[in-house]
Amino acid sequence: VFVDREQHQQLATRAFVYLQNAAALQDKQGSRRKNHTAYQVATREVEQQTGLIFDQVLHSSNPIQADGNGGGPVVVVTGPEEIVHNDNDNNNNGSDHPDVPSQVFIAAALINPEGDERAGEWVSIANYSAQELDLTGWTLSDSHRQPMSLSDTLAPGETLKLNPLQTEDGGKLLLANNGGNLTLRNPDGFIVDRVQWKKVASGRVTIFDPF
């Protein structure tokens, strides 16, 4: 991920991936690589491929945006002139690479409940799409434990409150009071939503911004 400050001192992010086979990875001399092609992608694609989690600003400042299903456009880059830049840098309207927020998202959580923390913690998932959503095969994870499997059905505009935060298959979430993250994935394993938080006061419900 390349980050710099361009026109008007605005943060700009460019994310690239290189596809390498086993022979290329074993090659200690980079000049012998045959495939130098770079692919410019959404920041979420780098998260998918590496397991890393980036701050939301590195998503929103990338001109290539993930769609609501966790995918997004891929641009082949063979030279610097082919790199996609923010439309705002050129003062146009940004219609080529719009930011498409997911209509299914992690809406809120009680991270630091009063009393029994494990029993009191909860997370809510919202469906703001126009269709009923079957959550079978979806997962919610905290990056440290086995993901929780979801199986409920959400009507349009409905919110599902998850409590307790564990499932019979061994999936479990622990919401760290001093900061953590949650990742919602669809049945294909794509990241649909990801949220982060810092230290949370006792008894306070955290509302996550879906946009």
Side-chain angles (χ1 to χ4, degrees):
V1 177
F2 169 73
V3 182
D4 70 351
R5 288 186 179 273
E6 297 187 341
Q7 297 182 26
H8 312 300
Q9 295 299 302
Q10 293 181 343
L11 182 68
T13 301
R14 308 291 182 268
F16 302 90
V17 295
Y18 293 83
L19 302 182
Q20 295 178 316
N21 58 23
L25 293 174
Q26 293 174 358
D27 183 6
K28 302 303 182 182
Q29 298 181 16
S31 60
R32 293 210 308 252
R33 286 191 309 157
K34 294 182 179 181
N35 182 8
H36 293 273
T37 304
Y39 300 87
Q40 189 176 356
V41 297
T43 306
R44 185 163 292 176
E45 178 68 23
V46 180
E47 290 183 331
Q48 301 272 19
Q49 298 296 333
T50 65
L52 299 171
I53 296 177
F54 298 107
D55 190 276
Q56 183 58 38
V57 69
L58 298 186
H59 292 264
S60 60
S61 59
N62 189 336
I64 298 182
Q65 294 287 321
D67 59 31
N69 294 317
V74 176
V75 179
V76 178
V77 177
T78 58
E81 70 281 354
E82 296 178 340
I83 296 175
V84 176
H85 294 285
N86 281 321
D87 290 333
N88 289 338
D89 296 341
N90 299 318
N91 297 319
N92 55 35
N93 60 17
S95 60
D96 289 339
H97 298 281
D99 186 359
V100 183
S102 173
Q103 294 180 312
V104 181
F105 54 89
I106 303 167
L110 181 56
I111 296 166
N112 186 7
E114 297 176 348
D116 188 337
E117 288 211 13
R118 297 286 85 87
E121 291 178 344
W122 56 261
V123 177
S124 64
I125 308 295
N127 175 23
Y128 275 26
S129 72
Q131 289 130 13
E132 183 176 86
L133 175 67
D134 182 0
L135 287 173
T136 301
W138 290 60
T139 62
L140 187 64
S141 66
D142 62 12
S143 302
H144 297 290
R145 281 155 281 274
Q146 179 178 327
M148 276 184 58
S149 299
L150 308 180
S151 59
D152 294 88
T153 299
L154 277 175
E158 186 177 11
T159 300
L160 171 69
K161 182 178 178 180
L162 301 173
N163 175 271
L165 298 180
Q166 57 185 13
T167 51
E168 294 181 356
D169 63 0
K172 187 176 184 180
L173 301 178
L174 294 180
L175 307 183
N177 298 340
N178 291 324
N181 63 79
L182 290 172
T183 302
L184 178 66
R185 295 178 184 267
N186 67 16
D188 294 323
F190 289 113
I191 298 174
V192 175
D193 193 25
R194 178 188 54 84
V195 297
Q196 296 175 299
W197 65 90
K198 297 181 180 179
K199 188 173 182 179
V200 178
S202 177
R204 179 179 179 181
V205 174
T206 299
I207 308 295
F208 299 111
D209 184 0
F211 308 110

